[in-house]
Amino acid sequence: MATATRYAHPSPAPEPPGPSPGAAASPVRLSAAVMCHPSREAAARALAGRFPDLHATVVLDPAPDGPPDALRTALRAWSAVVPGATHHLVLQDDALPAEDFLRRLHALVAAQPDAALSLFTEWGSRTSYALRIAAMSGHHLAPVVDDYVPCVGLVLPAGVARGFADHARAEAADGDPDDLALLHYLAARGVRTLVPVANLVDHDNGAPSLVGNSVHGPRSAACLVPPDLAALPAEPTVLTGLGTVPYYDFWGQYSDACIPDDSTVDGRVRSSARVFLRGHGVTQDELSAGLAAALERCPERAFLTERVSEIVLTEVWIVSFLLGFTAAGLEGRGGASLDLTGPLPAAALATLGPGAVRRVVPRWLLPAVGALLTPLVLEAVRAGAARAPLRS
C-alpha cells in the first residue's frame, strides 16, 4: 500500500476513451487521481501520463515527514472528483495497470455502475480465494471478502467517492489505514465491492512499502488479465451465495475457514480449516494420506521438501482441499463441472502456492517453488471437490 494525498490540483473534465469496436457508446465518465508520497512523485506522474485521456490528478501526501499514513492522502484523492464524472478512479503509485487498461475498465464500470470495483486483489488475500472459486465456476466477478477494501486500484461511483472524506474524518479511528476506513464506509453506505476475476492492475513489488507492508512479502495479482482475453460481456456474471471462504494465513502459515458471521463488518469470522472439514467428515488422516500420495508423484519432491517444510506443505494442501470442497459444494455444483484448466482458472490457481509461502521462501526461489506447488494445489482441489456434498 502506498501513501496518498491531501491536496489536489484542479483538472479539466476527463474525456472517456472511445467505445470498443462495434460497441455502443458508454455513459461512463471517469475522473482519476494517483496518490503518492513526494518521494514517488516521478513514478506517480509517469503512471498518470500513461493515460492522458483520464487527466488524472497527482495527489501528494500533505505531511510527508509525519508518521506513515495512507488515509490522509486518500481523503484528498477520493475528493478529487471532477464535475460531470460518473465514477472516480484512484490508483496508488505502485499500481501496474494491465494492457488495454482503459477499454477494459470502461467495460467493467459500465457493467457494474453501482458497485465499488477493486481492480487488484493480491495472491494471498482472502478475496483471492473467492476469486478462484469464481474462476472455476465460470463467473466474471467475485465479491471482495477481505477485512479491508483492496485499493491499489479502486473505482467508486462519483457520489460515493465524494462522501468518503467526511465519513472517514467523523468515523475513522486514529491510525486506521485507508483500506479499513473504506471498508467501514462502503458497508455503512450499503455499497457492495466486487473484483474482476481477471485483475486489471498488478502491484509493483520493486519499491519498499512506505507503510510497512514489505514484511508481507511480494504482493502480486491473484489473476492478472491475459492480454488476449476478450472484453467482458455486456452482462458479466457475479459469484453469489458464497458462505465459508478458504483462506491461507501467510503470516502464521496455517489454513483457515472464514465462516459467515453477520456481527462483523466484513461478514465473516476466521476458524480452523481442519475443524471445518472435520465437521463435514473429512479427517486429518484422509488429508495427510492425500498429500503423501501427491508428493510421491512429484518428480522434484526432494527440491520441494528441502525448501518448504512438511508443516507448510500440509497447510497448503488443506486450504487447497477446502477450496475445491467449497467450490464444488456451492449451490450443489458437482466437482466434475469445475473448470481447473481454462486460462483464468489455471492462472488463478497457479498463484495460490506462491501467494501462501511468499514469506517463508526466498524471493528468488519463489517462482520455482510456486511451479512445483501448483500440481499439488490442483490435486488437492480435485480431492476436495470430490468430497463435497451434492444437493439435488
Side-chain angles (χ1 to χ4, degrees):
M1 179 191 309
T3 329
T5 157
R6 198 172 208 178
Y7 123 90
H9 303 288
S11 306
E15 294 295 329
S20 55
S26 168
V28 172
R29 289 180 63 86
L30 282 170
S31 65
V34 179
M35 54 185 262
C36 72
H37 188 273
S39 64
R40 295 187 183 172
E41 183 177 357
R45 294 197 179 280
L47 176 57
R50 286 185 54 190
F51 308 105
D53 289 346
L54 281 179
H55 302 286
T57 298
V58 174
V59 183
L60 302 177
D61 185 343
D65 297 327
D69 180 355
L71 181 57
R72 65 178 173 242
T73 316
L75 296 179
R76 295 295 181 166
W78 285 111
S79 299
V81 186
V82 301
T86 62
H87 294 80
H88 188 57
L89 163 70
V90 172
L91 294 171
Q92 296 182 352
D93 58 65
D94 50 6
L96 297 174
E99 186 174 327
D100 203 13
F101 173 70
L102 278 186
R103 183 177 69 90
R104 296 183 186 279
L105 178 60
H106 272 260
L108 175 64
V109 176
Q112 291 290 338
D114 299 324
L117 296 165
S118 290
L119 308 181
F120 163 88
T121 187
E122 62 113 318
W123 54 4
S125 67
R126 187 190 300 179
T127 295
S128 72
Y129 290 85
L131 180 152
R132 293 177 181 111
I133 292 172
M136 291 187 289
S137 304
H139 294 293
H140 304 94
L141 297 112
V144 168
V145 293
D146 296 303
D147 51 3
Y148 61 92
V149 172
C151 52
V152 170
L154 180 65
V155 178
L156 298 181
V160 177
R162 290 187 182 100
F164 172 61
D166 287 344
H167 183 275
R169 290 188 183 104
E171 301 293 338
D174 287 345
D176 276 357
D178 57 339
D179 51 12
L180 181 60
L182 281 162
L183 176 74
H184 286 274
Y185 172 61
L186 295 175
R189 288 285 298 256
V191 178
R192 67 173 179 168
T193 308
L194 302 174
V195 60
V197 168
N199 287 186
L200 301 189
V201 167
D202 205 350
H203 175 258
D204 183 358
N205 291 308
S209 170
L210 298 178
V211 292
N213 286 334
S214 294
V215 295
H216 294 169
R219 291 165 286 139
S220 299
C223 181
L224 190 64
V225 59
D228 58 350
L229 185 72
L232 280 176
E235 297 184 4
T237 60
V238 181
L239 174 68
T240 59
L242 186 61
T244 296
V245 179
Y247 174 60
Y248 191 88
D249 185 330
F250 57 82
W251 193 268
Q253 296 296 310
Y254 48 82
S255 52
D256 280 337
C258 298
I259 299 169
D261 184 340
D262 291 338
S263 69
T264 63
V265 66
D266 57 289
R268 286 173 177 81
V269 63
R270 283 168 54 178
S271 182
S272 163
R274 279 185 177 82
V275 170
F276 180 86
L277 287 169
R278 187 164 63 238
H280 288 80
V282 181
T283 67
Q284 180 63 49
D285 286 345
E286 177 182 346
L287 294 167
S288 297
L291 172 59
L295 284 173
E296 286 294 331
R297 293 186 287 271
C298 179
E300 297 187 62
R301 175 179 180 176
F303 176 89
L304 181 61
T305 54
E306 284 173 3
R307 286 154 181 83
V308 183
S309 74
E310 180 183 350
I311 293 171
V312 171
L313 286 174
T314 299
E315 297 300 320
V316 171
W317 179 269
I318 292 172
V319 80
S320 302
F321 187 103
L322 180 57
L323 180 65
F325 185 92
T326 304
L330 190 64
E331 299 176 358
R333 175 185 290 273
S337 69
L338 295 178
D339 179 7
L340 276 61
T341 60
L344 289 183
L349 291 168
T351 64
L352 190 157
V357 304
R358 82 282 187 99
R359 290 196 72 246
V360 295
V361 171
R363 184 177 294 207
W364 66 275
L365 276 175
L366 197 55
V369 170
L372 290 176
L373 285 173
T374 296
L376 296 181
V377 167
L378 293 174
E379 282 207 45
V381 169
R382 290 190 180 98
R387 288 288 272 113
L390 294 178
R391 295 194 289 270
S392 57

